[in-house]
Amino acid sequence: SDLFLLLLVLVSPVLRVSEAARTGDVPELKRVLDGESVTRRNFLLNTRTDGATPLIIAARNGNTAIVQCLLDEYDVDLEQEGTVKIDGDLIECCTPLWMASLGGHLAIVRLLLERGAEVNHTTLTNSTPLRAASFNGHTEVSVISVQA
């Protein structure tokens, strides 16, 4: 039930971090992460919820402020890989750049590329961020990816 989920979110730092990444709640993200030891914080930043790390979740949902916070304040690995479900298909080994490109999240794509994200990092099925952007008709993202 909803009450059970609410209690889980309140109790579990992993769920609190992934939910903050999904909803774009920077204060909550920082509250949880800053209250942990460095080791535990790194664990939380690399733990996959439904196959995705907090950075991949934020990139997928277009939460630029979360992506910026994770990169600036927690030095998260840009090439983290996750597994996500897209239209019923499981996409394995997708990166934050791939997810942001698929969603047409231009500001996040720019930010990740500026920070040195690998534009040719492929998923398990050899899809690149450019291919993901093109597939969904995100022309501006495609142009940026080609220029990178």
Side-chain angles (χ1 to χ4, degrees), residues 24-43:
D25 189 343
V26 174
E28 170 67 356
L29 179 81
K30 292 176 74 166
R31 191 166 31 251
V32 178
L33 292 175
D34 293 347
E36 300 287 349
S37 69
V38 172
T39 305
R40 180 92 172 117
R41 185 181 308 144
N42 287 336
F43 169 78

Side-chain angles (χ1 to χ4, degrees), residues 93-112:
C93 305
C94 64
T95 62
L97 181 60
W98 193 91
M99 285 304 318
S101 298
L102 183 76
H105 304 302
L106 202 55
I108 294 174
V109 169
R110 276 202 180 105
L111 181 60
L112 292 169

Side-chain angles (χ1 to χ4, degrees), residues 41-69:
R41 185 181 308 144
N42 287 336
F43 169 78
L44 292 171
L45 291 169
N46 289 293
T47 297
R48 287 164 180 75
T49 307
D50 292 329
T53 64
L55 182 59
I56 292 170
I57 293 168
R60 178 178 192 169
N61 288 284
N63 291 322
T64 310
I66 294 279
V67 172
Q68 180 110 42
C69 175

